[in-house]
């Protein structure tokens, strides 16, 4: 399937911002995000932490992005990375105890991981799933400047300011990371992650979580009939629209203005 043009990705991001502006109540603001986390099976992490030729020696290596989300997303089957979530329970301010991806969770300090070094951020996708009560998702790609992944993203995605964007940001002079309450934000990190080093510096921890299902090997398809997250309306009326439950760069980037408008930096 032909991937979106950069202009299409920009239009999709505009739809996500319009969607956020329509959110009410507890879904209209931001919440603190002290950690980002990755849920996988115990065997996945055990293999990474194993020493020797058959182990990962503590290095969590990137791998190719699957087809989860919009089928025309430019990074599908083209970019290597690792997905992290930054979504917190509204009541506890902590990650949910449940996970469909595995019973083991790696937690990493959000500021140290995303904002301490000179990374770049790009908007890549906005989607929901058929009959999914978890609401809408936004995917943000994080790259190292000058890397192959960064070159790809500059060509195909829309750069966003790390200090001022409506999805996840950390204001200048602060170490407090905040994420939108209106969508579920997923981070696609395009560098290998040295878990052993992060554990030694006390910037990461492991914990157990409740595995409540399973994920599909090639990802879940997007709800192509949702009016909020599709660029064109589908003629197929069999699928219902998703309803949400209670539950400085060298490339141009979007940033938030005091008047709640968006403009190029």
């Amino acid at each position: 399937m032909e991937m979106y043009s950069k202009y299409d990705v920009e239009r999709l991001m505009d739809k996500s911002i319009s969607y956020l502006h329509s959110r009410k109540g507890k879904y209209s603001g931001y919440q603190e995000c002290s950690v980002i986390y990755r849920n996988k099976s115990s065997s996945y992490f055990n293999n990474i932490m194993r020493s020797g030729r058959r182990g990962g020696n503590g290095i969590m290596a990137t791998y190719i992005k699957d087809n989860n989300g919009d089928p025309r997303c430019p990074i599908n089957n083209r970019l290597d990375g690792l997905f992290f979530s930054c979504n917190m329970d509204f009541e506890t301010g902590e990650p949910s105890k449940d996970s469909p991806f595995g019973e083991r969770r790696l937690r990493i300090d959000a500021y140290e991981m995303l904002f301490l070094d000179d990374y770049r951020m790009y908007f890549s996708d906005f989607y929901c799933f058929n009959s999914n009560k978890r609401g809408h998702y936004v995917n943000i790609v994080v790259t190292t400047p000058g890397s192959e992944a960064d070159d790809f993203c500059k060509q195909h995605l829309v750069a966003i300011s790390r200090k001022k964007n409506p999805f996840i940001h950390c204001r200048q002079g602060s170490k407090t990371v905040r994420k939108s309450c209106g969508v579920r934000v997923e981070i696609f990190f395009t560098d290998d992650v040295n878990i052993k080093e992060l554990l030694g510096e006390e910037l990461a921890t492991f914990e157990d979580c409740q595995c409540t299902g399973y994920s599909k090997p090639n990802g879940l398809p997007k709800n192509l009939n949702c009016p909020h997250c599709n660029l064109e309306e589908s003629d197929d009326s069999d699928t219902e629209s998703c309803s949400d439950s209670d539950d400085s760069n060298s490339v141009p980037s979007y940033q938030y203005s005091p008047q709640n408008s968006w403009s190029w930096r």
Side-chain angles (χ1 to χ4, degrees), residues 71-256:
R72 297 182 66 183
C73 177
I75 69 173
N76 288 358
N77 297 304
R78 296 180 182 90
L79 198 63
D80 288 350
L82 298 164
F83 266 113
F84 291 86
S85 180
C86 55
N87 303 295
M88 304 295 165
D89 184 271
F90 282 112
E91 301 298 329
T92 66
E94 288 287 316
S96 170
K97 295 181 179 179
D98 301 333
S99 165
F101 303 106
E103 72 283 359
R104 195 70 169 154
R105 173 176 294 154
L106 174 68
R107 297 168 54 117
I108 304 177
D109 184 282
Y111 174 79
E112 297 282 341
M113 186 70 168
L114 301 178
F115 295 94
L116 184 62
D117 293 326
D118 189 26
Y119 291 122
R120 287 177 179 155
M121 285 186 173
Y122 298 86
F123 172 92
S124 68
D125 206 356
F126 175 47
Y127 57 92
C128 67
F129 299 120
N130 297 329
S131 302
N132 187 0
K133 301 303 182 182
R134 286 182 172 266
H136 282 80
Y137 293 74
V138 164
N139 288 354
I140 303 298
V141 181
V142 177
T143 67
T144 296
S147 64
E148 290 186 10
D150 188 54
D151 291 341
F152 178 90
C153 291
K154 280 194 290 185
Q155 182 177 354
H156 298 288
L157 304 181
V158 180
I160 57 176
S161 167
R162 294 192 301 167
K163 300 173 185 175
K164 296 181 180 180
N165 76 74
F167 312 116
I168 181 170
H169 59 256
C170 183
R171 292 177 176 173
Q172 188 170 5
S174 171
K175 291 187 177 182
T176 300
V177 179
R178 303 196 312 162
K179 71 158 290 285
S180 170
C181 295
V183 291
R184 301 179 68 84
V185 180
E186 305 290 331
I187 303 296
F188 192 66
F189 196 79
T190 57
D191 287 347
D192 294 346
V193 175
N194 190 329
I195 300 178
K196 188 176 294 185
E197 184 178 276
L198 291 170
L199 291 172
E201 295 176 354
E202 299 184 346
L203 298 176
T205 57
F206 280 112
E207 66 181 15
D208 294 326
C209 54
Q210 181 68 38
C211 188
T212 56
Y214 62 92
S215 57
K216 289 190 175 182
N218 201 31
L220 295 172
K222 177 180 182 176
N223 177 0
L224 297 178
N225 222 31
C226 175
H228 300 297
C229 58
N230 285 285
L231 296 183
E232 297 178 0
E233 293 185 3
S234 171
D235 293 330
D236 182 5
S237 58
D238 293 334
T239 305
E240 294 182 356
S241 171
C242 173
S243 60
D244 293 347
S245 71
D246 287 342
D247 265 76
S248 141
N249 293 337
S250 62
V251 291
S253 60
Y254 269 117
Q255 67 173 1
Y256 190 63

